[in-house]
């Protein structure tokens, strides 16, 4: 007999439909053949399936078995094919009959005793299932059901064992679909345990962070060790606008495909904050592998990528950031396929002014020579610096501020300013591909960043004296537009432009 089921295969963060065809026919000797470009985890499923069948109380067919995973040219990986293969094998051997194979797809890994284990990418699989015509629902392991149920357009049927799945498909066991609990998830997981009120002093740095958050601008902080650069960066997500449902699903898909969702949390409700170590490889940062997988910049999607001790990263690793910073996506190409991952993130970088960290620091002696400092700073290329909108100096905090009992500016106060500026940008870019000032096109800059004569004179003088590139020129106008939004003014004033230009002075001091 022949049985055909519907399932899905994860490729990157996308789930693609796959048909599982199982044919059981009489043969002189038992033999199982698995075709359809299966990877190692799928090839090994034959052994798991055999023991799961026996240990669940069913009969292992002692016939010739051919299992085909179509389309044949699509690589099949992961153990999520265990459940559909086993169901097809039992149906093809006549151990149960089902009229639900056309209405419900199935995914899941099986243990040797027949228990269903969770799968990676349940959210992407549910989204793909919802887009399929005539598909009513999706049968998934119980541990993955809450994640898949985020997609409200399809029924998500949770099963704990192979026996439950067989009973459901045979129509003997009704199972209620798992409800979607989006509102509860956001209420439970959208809060932060850290606050900018914990940071003493550094009010000028906080001002720069508000501007960066308001316009989604990239930021670089330079200062001695212990000045609070990491504390400031870690609290940046607390002042960013809350994740929308769409942004949350996009980001959750990436984490789900890698199996990195926090335990007990089926949806990301907070903006991600990623801080990779400086020894990270190119593939670890942007993604890669023989079968492309997302990297840290994709894990930072709709969040913050923090690169601490920036000069300690390999220069080649930093250079691969240039294209994603401009395009918001990264494409990983291999001989047989090309995969694109989303990578819309705010980059925050921190570094010391010299190898010892105390160049020009009051009260501390720096023993670094000029060639040493130049070599240290030369690890960061000009083109990468050009893509960072705001450069600020974070000096050491005075004892008076450290000992003060007065709390600093809180995240709630800073977020209020950010949200007010974002409301203006939402209205400004309604109906366009841009969503914030940092992503304005050249045409939009000419429309929304018009300058009066005094501002034009100031900008011309700064560009000429500092030797700024065309990209840096546009970055200044974007930042000035954000500062004007924070002030609630429709036009860019001299004070706004002056502050934006000051954010470009630091790189001319250290990277001449």
């Amino acid at each position: 007999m022949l049985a055909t089921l519907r399932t899905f295969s994860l490729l990157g963060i996308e789930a693609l439909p796959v048909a599982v065809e199982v044919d059981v026919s009489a043969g002189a000797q038992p033999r199982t053949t698995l075709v359809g470009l299966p990877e190692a985890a799928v090839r090994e499923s034959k052994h798991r399936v055999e023991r799961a069948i026996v240990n669940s109380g069913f009969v292992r067919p002692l016939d010739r078995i051919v299992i085909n995973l179509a389309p044949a040219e699509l690589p099949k990986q992961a153990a999520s094919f265990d459940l559909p293969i086993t169901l097809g094998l039992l149906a093809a051997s006549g151990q149960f009959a089902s009229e639900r194979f056309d209405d419900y797809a199935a995914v899941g890994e099986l243990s040797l005793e027949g228990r269903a284990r969770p799968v990676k990418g349940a959210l992407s699989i549910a989204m793909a299932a919802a887009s399929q015509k005539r598909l009513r629902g999706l049968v998934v392991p119980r541990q993955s059901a809450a994640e898949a149920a985020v997609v409200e357009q399809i029924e998500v049927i949770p099963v704990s064992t192979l026996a439950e799945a067989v009973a459901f498909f045979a129509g003997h066991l009704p199972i209620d679909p798992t409800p979607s609990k989006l509102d509860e998830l956001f209420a439970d997981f959208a809060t932060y345990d850290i606050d900018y009120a914990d940071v003493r002093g550094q009010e000028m740095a906080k001002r720069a962070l508000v501007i960066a958050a308001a316009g989604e601008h990239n930021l670089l902080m330079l200062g001695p060790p212990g000045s609070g650069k990491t504390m400031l960066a870690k609290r940046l997500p607390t002042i960013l606008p809350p994740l929308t449902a769409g942004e949350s699903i996009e980001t959750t898909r990436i984490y789900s495909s890698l199996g990195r969702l926090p335990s007990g949390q089926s949806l990301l409700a907070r903006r991600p904050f990623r801080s990779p170590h400086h020894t990270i490889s190119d593939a670890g940062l942007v993604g890669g592998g023989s079968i492309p997988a997302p990297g840290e910049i994709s894990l930072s999607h709709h969040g913050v990528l923090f690169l601490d001790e920036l000069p300690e990263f390999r220069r080649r690793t930093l250079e691969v950031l240039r294209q994603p910073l401009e395009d918001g996506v990264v494409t990983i190409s291999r001989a047989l396929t090309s995969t694109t991952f989303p990578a819309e993130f705010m980059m925050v970088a921190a570094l010391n002014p010299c190898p010892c960290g105390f160049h020009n620091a009051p009260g501390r002696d720096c023993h670094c020579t000029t060639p040493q400092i130049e070599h240290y700073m030369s690890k960061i290329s000009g083109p990468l610096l050009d893509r960072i909108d705001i450069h600020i100096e974070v000096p050491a905090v005075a004892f008076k501020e450290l000992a003060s009992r007065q709390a600093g500016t809180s995240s709630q106060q800073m977020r209020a300013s950010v949200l007010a500026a974002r409301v203006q940008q939402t209205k400004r870019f309604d109906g366009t591909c841009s969503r914030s000032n940092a992503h304005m096109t050249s045409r939009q800059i000419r429309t929304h960043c018009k300058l009066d004569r005094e501002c034009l004179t100031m900008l011309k003088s700064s560009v000429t004296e500092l030797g700024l590139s065309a990209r840096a020129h546009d970055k200044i106008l974007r930042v000035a537009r954000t500062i004007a939004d924070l002030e609630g003014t429709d036009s860019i004033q001299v004070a706004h432009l002056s502050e934006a230009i000051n954010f470009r002075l630091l790189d001319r001091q250290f990277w001449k």
Side-chain angles (χ1 to χ4, degrees):
M1 294 177 62
L2 173 67
T4 302
L5 288 86
R6 303 170 74 174
T7 187
F8 294 88
S9 177
L10 203 63
L11 186 64
I13 63 172
E14 300 291 338
L16 302 176
V18 173
V20 178
E21 301 171 342
V22 182
D23 181 76
V24 178
S25 58
Q29 292 183 342
R31 181 179 180 183
T32 301
T33 304
L34 180 60
V35 296
L37 212 58
E39 299 291 337
V42 184
R43 291 196 300 270
E44 293 172 353
S45 68
K46 293 186 292 185
H47 309 292
R48 290 191 298 271
V49 164
E50 289 175 0
R51 300 320 305 163
I53 288 175
V54 173
N55 292 328
S56 297
F58 299 101
V59 178
R60 173 192 172 190
L62 298 177
D63 295 302
R64 184 173 182 269
I65 302 169
V66 178
I67 303 168
N68 179 42
L69 307 177
E73 71 275 5
L74 176 68
K76 319 299 189 306
Q77 58 174 333
S80 60
F81 291 94
D82 288 5
L83 183 58
I85 288 175
T86 309
L87 290 170
L89 192 55
L90 293 174
S93 60
Q95 299 187 50
F96 82 99
S98 176
E99 297 180 353
R100 291 182 167 179
F101 285 157
D102 290 334
D103 297 328
Y104 290 87
V107 294
E109 180 182 348
L110 292 176
S111 69
L112 297 184
E113 61 178 347
R115 292 192 174 276
R117 288 175 170 167
V119 295
K120 295 180 180 179
L123 178 56
S124 294
I125 291 172
M127 293 174 67
S131 66
Q132 294 291 305
K133 295 180 180 179
R134 297 177 54 199
L135 196 58
R136 180 179 171 185
L138 179 68
V139 176
V140 300
R142 191 170 296 276
Q143 297 97 315
S144 301
E147 179 187 333
V150 169
V151 182
E152 298 175 334
Q153 295 80 15
I154 195 166
E155 294 181 8
V156 176
I157 307 298
V159 294
S160 300
T161 63
L162 172 61
E164 275 189 24
V166 171
F168 172 77
F169 274 100
H172 300 153
L173 177 64
I175 301 177
D176 293 330
T178 302
S180 178
K181 300 179 180 179
L182 281 177
D183 294 337
E184 293 181 21
L185 290 170
F186 276 100
D188 293 341
F189 298 111
T191 57
Y192 293 90
D193 298 327
I194 54 178
D195 195 285
Y196 271 116
D198 304 331
V199 181
R200 294 291 185 263
Q202 304 299 5
E203 292 301 317
M204 292 301 294
K206 289 183 181 180
R207 163 69 176 174
L209 285 158
V210 167
I211 295 171
E216 280 193 282
H217 301 290
N218 300 318
L219 176 75
L220 181 143
M221 295 183 287
L222 185 144
S227 58
K229 301 185 295 296
T230 302
M231 283 187 70
L232 290 165
K234 284 184 176 180
R235 286 157 177 76
L236 182 56
T238 67
I239 66 173
L240 292 172
L243 276 175
T244 65
E247 290 175 337
S248 178
I249 289 173
E250 284 182 21
T251 308
T252 303
R253 288 178 66 194
I254 300 169
Y255 281 75
S256 173
S257 68
L258 296 173
R260 293 195 185 183
L261 277 179
S263 178
Q265 185 174 347
S266 56
L267 190 71
L268 293 179
R270 294 186 295 190
R271 294 191 178 271
F273 178 87
R274 304 294 300 179
S275 180
H277 193 261
H278 61 259
T279 56
I280 191 171
S281 65
D282 300 359
L285 188 61
V286 301
S290 56
I291 297 177
E296 287 290 339
I297 63 173
S298 295
L299 291 169
S300 306
H301 186 53
H302 292 312
V304 177
L305 176 67
F306 179 48
L307 302 180
D308 200 7
E309 304 297 343
L310 189 64
E312 300 298 334
F313 286 81
R314 290 182 298 173
R315 179 163 181 153
R316 175 183 167 182
T317 302
L318 292 177
E319 292 306 297
V320 299
L321 287 172
R322 287 159 56 173
Q323 180 262 335
L325 282 172
E326 291 289 317
D327 300 340
V329 295
V330 58
T331 300
I332 310 296
S333 297
R334 294 292 179 264
L336 299 178
T337 186
S338 178
T339 306
T340 298
F341 299 119
E344 294 182 0
F345 59 93
M346 281 183 61
M347 189 181 85
V348 178
L351 69 155
N352 298 326
C354 65
C356 77
F358 298 107
H359 181 64
N360 291 336
R364 299 297 297 264
D365 293 329
C366 172
H367 302 287
C368 302
T369 64
T370 300
Q372 286 177 323
I373 296 175
E374 290 178 351
H375 175 72
Y376 182 73
M377 290 299 184
S378 68
K379 296 179 182 179
I380 308 169
S381 69
L384 180 62
L385 283 170
D386 233 15
R387 288 167 169 80
I388 302 177
D389 310 44
I390 298 174
H391 308 155
I392 61 169
E393 191 165 8
V394 183
V397 183
F399 176 79
K400 180 180 178 181
E401 293 177 322
L402 287 173
S404 174
R405 294 186 177 182
Q406 183 177 358
T409 306
S410 68
S411 293
Q412 184 178 1
Q413 295 170 307
M414 297 166 70
R415 179 187 267 195
S417 299
V418 171
L419 293 178
R422 287 292 184 97
V423 168
Q424 296 186 52
Q425 294 170 54
T426 301
K427 295 177 181 177
R428 179 179 300 134
F429 302 121
D430 186 32
T432 69
C433 295
S434 302
R435 65 178 188 279
S436 63
N437 290 335
H439 301 96
M440 276 194 289
T441 64
S442 298
R443 183 177 298 177
Q444 289 171 335
I445 289 174
R446 291 193 294 270
T447 303
H448 302 299
C449 301
K450 294 179 180 177
L451 304 178
D452 58 25
R453 182 172 298 178
E454 187 176 2
C455 289
L456 279 171
T457 302
M458 176 185 291
L459 183 60
K460 178 182 178 181
S461 175
S462 300
V463 169
T464 303
E465 293 178 5
L466 297 176
L468 299 177
S469 66
R471 182 184 287 111
H473 168 274
D474 288 352
K475 295 282 188 187
I476 287 174
L477 291 177
R478 292 186 180 104
V479 174
R481 179 66 266 171
T482 300
I483 296 171
D485 289 343
L486 287 167
E487 299 295 328
T489 60
D490 293 331
S491 60
I492 296 175
Q493 308 296 327
V494 172
H496 308 150
L497 185 63
S498 176
E499 186 174 7
I501 291 171
N502 284 332
F503 288 134
R504 302 296 307 193
L505 294 178
L506 199 62
D507 63 332
R508 304 303 158 185
Q509 177 183 349
F510 287 92
W511 291 275
K512 295 181 181 179

